[in-house]
Amino acid sequence: MHLAFIQTRSQAGLLAPEVIVEIHLGSGLPGFQVVGFSESATRQIRGRVRSAILSSHLKWPDFNITVNLAPTELPKEGPRYDLPIALGLLVASQQLPQRCIVGREFFGELGLDGGIHAFRGALAAALAATRAGHACGMAHQGASEIATLTEGRLITAPDLLSLCAQLKKADPEYAPRGTPLNPDHFPYPDLSQLKGQPLLCKALEVAATGGHHLLMTGPPGVGKTLAASVLPGLLPPLPDKTVQELLLMQDIVGLTERGGPPFRAPHHSSSVASLMGGTARALPGEISMAHGGVLFLDELTEFPHAVLNQLRQPLETGLIRVNRAQHQHQYPAQFQLVAAMNPCPCGLAGDPDRRCRCTPDRIRRYSQGISGPLTDRIDLHITLQRPPPELLLSKSTGGQSSSGDVRNRVTLMRQRQRERQDCLNRDLSGDNLLKACQLKNDTERWLIRAVAKLNLSARSTHRRLKVARTLADMSGDRSVAIPHLKTALTFREAPSTDDAGAV
Ligand SMILES: [Zn+2]
């Protein structure tokens, strides 16, 4: 037989569509071509595969070799097809029996010495193959983790020759599974570390409970970064689906963070592609790596407008579309946004001890740097002051709950919100919001007076109602009452927003 068909997988976002590697050994002058690949890409593949076959003491078939990857319209790049091409050549030239490849898929890069190397995206490929009921032939490296996550049958080997030996066995050994992930692993600073900041601690618990995005305004060194990194530790353990999506994306970008909701804090000088996704290989960006966890944007005003404007789509849909050449991939990006900014360019505005020298005009331009549509999606805006020094040094936690206690409460509250309205309080809007709040007549009258007195816009009123709904949930009340609204109104908004922080 001078033909062979080997199953493998391509990569499109988190999916791994099936690809068949077709090998034909033709008569005529010896040659090697890969249909649809450029001459230089073909030369590279031939170089690696030929060296690997020869280094494994196998024979390079001296035929006119044609390789076709079907279907042709799928995005196909990278050396991940080395292994299936090599095995296809061995089957077509009858150095490996046909039965060795039946019901099995193969993926992996080959080294010149015949070694099989792991590659990014192997997890998605192994998962898809396992779902299709196939065993996988792949690199040894990282296999036990992939076996744990996919529960697949993985035949692994360090090099081509030992893989062939494994494949010839009637019952090959499958890679053993490692220890499963620990879903209760929360490597984050504890809430009790935020000393002398009761307002901040309360805001963090509210944010965690209702899923509200949070904007902190305050001078440098007030603990904004610490506060943001506490938040993922207050969130419930991630659902299995989110964990799987996260692991697939981490595998694609080559990250090995495991367990707990993620915390990502990209710098404002990062490129738009690295933040949003879509480098040359259409990889997921920072916002996707924060999926299920917290995305922290420190010094919000320093981020390029393009980035802040593009955040609107994932904030609304929990998804981001990433374009590459003719293909569009979609990655999940359901994160909780925590943003921080200084009160003015020098950071001293509102400081009782030191004087800010920024002109009012400069302060106005500074805070206008963040787009309205973005701040509209942030329910909680808080302004922070430096805590008194004696509190910072105090050994007592000031009655502050630990992160673990808050997390247990948050888990319960989020469950109740979903039972009541099928979403978190953050996602309530219009009639659903009013229905969920169940305002009594006197509460409604009080709110109307407060809105008029504080000159709040409709959007700002809705944001505070959502926060009040969360506060009512936290105190176990069915309807939102005046005390909840009062507290919601004390979360003072930054002057950048539509109602100029009037409380
Ligand atoms: Zn200033």
Side-chain angles (χ1 to χ4, degrees):
M1 183 178 87
H2 291 302
L3 263 177
F5 301 93
I6 307 269
Q7 280 185 299
T8 184
R9 300 264 161 191
S10 161
Q11 192 214 319
L14 297 189
L15 304 176
E18 191 182 74
V19 169
I20 308 284
V21 176
E22 304 170 347
I23 307 274
H24 179 248
L25 306 185
S27 51
L29 281 178
F32 183 89
Q33 53 270 332
V34 185
V35 178
F37 277 58
S38 69
E39 217 170 288
S40 78
T42 302
R43 252 200 319 272
Q44 288 175 24
I45 295 175
R46 180 184 185 272
R48 283 192 307 268
V49 173
R50 187 169 188 272
S51 301
I53 286 184
L54 295 179
S55 310
S56 309
H57 307 290
L58 295 159
K59 201 173 158 290
W60 176 257
D62 269 327
F63 287 90
N64 188 2
I65 301 166
T66 307
V67 178
N68 182 42
L69 305 180
T72 38
E73 75 271 12
L74 278 174
K76 290 178 293 259
E77 57 186 35
R80 60 193 289 159
Y81 302 109
D82 288 357
L83 179 63
I85 290 173
L87 291 171
L89 288 170
L90 296 178
V91 171
S93 60
Q94 294 171 358
Q95 300 181 72
L96 188 69
Q98 166 75 19
R99 62 169 176 80
C100 295
I101 56 166
V102 176
R104 293 169 179 169
E105 300 190 13
F106 300 91
F107 8 82
E109 296 182 22
L110 288 178
L112 301 183
D113 60 351
I116 306 174
H117 302 306
F119 62 97
R120 292 176 182 185
L123 179 58
L127 189 65
T130 303
R131 280 184 184 150
H134 295 155
C136 307
M138 58 197 296
H140 211 50
Q141 193 195 341
S144 82
E145 194 166 33
I146 293 178
T148 317
L149 298 170
T150 61
E151 301 188 348
R153 291 171 296 143
L154 313 184
I155 305 166
T156 67
D159 56 68
L160 185 61
L161 193 61
S162 22
L163 182 67
C164 289
Q166 279 281 344
L167 294 175
K168 284 177 189 162
K169 287 185 188 165
D171 60 299
E173 285 167 37
Y174 295 120
R177 293 180 193 163
T179 44
L181 290 176
N182 177 8
D184 299 324
H185 178 60
F186 288 92
Y188 299 109
D190 197 86
L191 187 62
S192 56
Q193 288 187 26
L194 289 171
K195 292 186 200 284
Q197 297 267 32
L199 174 75
L200 183 54
C201 292
K202 178 89 173 178
L204 285 172
E205 185 166 351
V206 173
T209 305
H212 306 287
H213 305 302
L214 172 67
L215 172 63
M216 300 178 279
T217 308
V222 77
K224 289 174 284 187
T225 305
L226 176 63
S229 61
V230 163
L231 184 58
L234 308 183
L235 303 180
L238 298 175
D240 291 347
K241 179 170 175 280
T242 310
V243 172
Q244 194 178 72
E245 289 168 337
L246 203 54
L247 288 169
L248 287 172
M249 290 192 287
Q250 288 172 345
D251 185 52
I252 291 170
V253 300
L255 260 182
T256 48
E257 279 178 29
R258 294 290 187 258
F263 176 72
R264 305 297 299 177
H267 192 257
H268 53 73
S269 64
S270 318
S271 70
V272 177
S274 76
L275 285 164
M276 312 302 296
T279 47
R281 295 180 51 211
L283 299 177
E286 285 288 340
I287 65 164
S288 292
M289 303 322 293
H291 182 51
V294 172
L295 179 72
F296 177 47
L297 303 183
D298 197 7
E299 302 191 46
L300 186 66
T301 50
E302 302 289 323
F303 280 84
H305 279 263
V307 169
L308 300 184
N309 287 334
Q310 281 187 42
L311 278 176
R312 284 166 57 189
Q313 186 209 343
L315 282 175
E316 253 164 46
T317 61
L319 292 168
I320 180 82
R321 287 200 185 83
V322 169
N323 296 308
R324 176 183 60 167
Q326 308 108 10
H327 299 279
Q328 193 179 57
H329 297 328
Q330 191 165 277
Y331 291 110
Q334 213 162 30
F335 53 85
Q336 200 163 342
L337 177 66
V338 177
M341 57 187 271
N342 291 336
C344 68
C346 81
L348 294 175
D351 192 314
D353 304 324
R354 285 183 290 171
R355 214 174 124 214
C356 157
R357 293 182 186 278
C358 307
T359 62
D361 188 46
R362 211 165 151 230
I363 296 181
R364 194 173 45 78
R365 265 184 288 130
Y366 174 77
S367 48
Q368 273 172 349
I370 44 174
S371 71
L374 177 63
T375 43
D376 274 346
R377 284 174 180 78
I378 304 180
D379 294 335
L380 267 176
H381 297 226
I382 58 167
T383 304
L384 300 170
Q385 304 290 346
R386 264 202 195 88
E390 61 273 18
L391 277 177
L392 288 177
L393 297 173
S394 131
K395 286 208 173 62
S396 112
T397 57
Q400 181 55 55
S401 309
S402 72
S403 286
D405 292 342
V406 173
R407 183 163 63 239
N408 291 339
R409 291 203 286 270
V410 166
T411 307
L412 192 69
M413 299 289 148
R414 284 193 167 200
Q415 210 173 318
R416 285 199 194 143
Q417 290 166 44
R418 291 207 170 92
E419 281 161 15
R420 182 179 60 212
Q421 68 225 8
D422 206 24
C423 66
L424 294 181
N425 290 344
R426 167 184 77 200
D427 300 319
L428 284 170
S429 61
D431 288 346
N432 287 340
L433 173 61
L434 293 176
K435 209 172 123 202
C437 286
Q438 303 187 23
L439 297 179
K440 298 216 169 71
N441 287 340
D442 57 332
T443 315
E444 204 172 299
R445 280 197 297 275
W446 185 91
L447 178 64
I448 292 169
R449 279 202 304 276
V451 167
K453 193 173 151 209
L454 301 173
N455 194 21
L456 297 184
S457 69
R459 284 198 192 117
S460 178
T461 309
H462 279 164
R463 285 201 290 267
R464 287 158 195 237
L465 261 178
K466 286 193 257 178
V467 172
R469 179 60 266 177
T470 300
L471 288 162
D473 285 340
M474 286 165 67
S475 54
D477 292 311
R478 275 175 59 92
S479 58
V480 171
I482 296 173
H484 309 130
L485 289 169
K486 277 188 176 163
T487 313
L489 292 173
T490 58
F491 290 118
R492 190 188 171 103
E493 301 208 343
S496 58
T497 52
D498 34 33
D499 52 68
V503 174

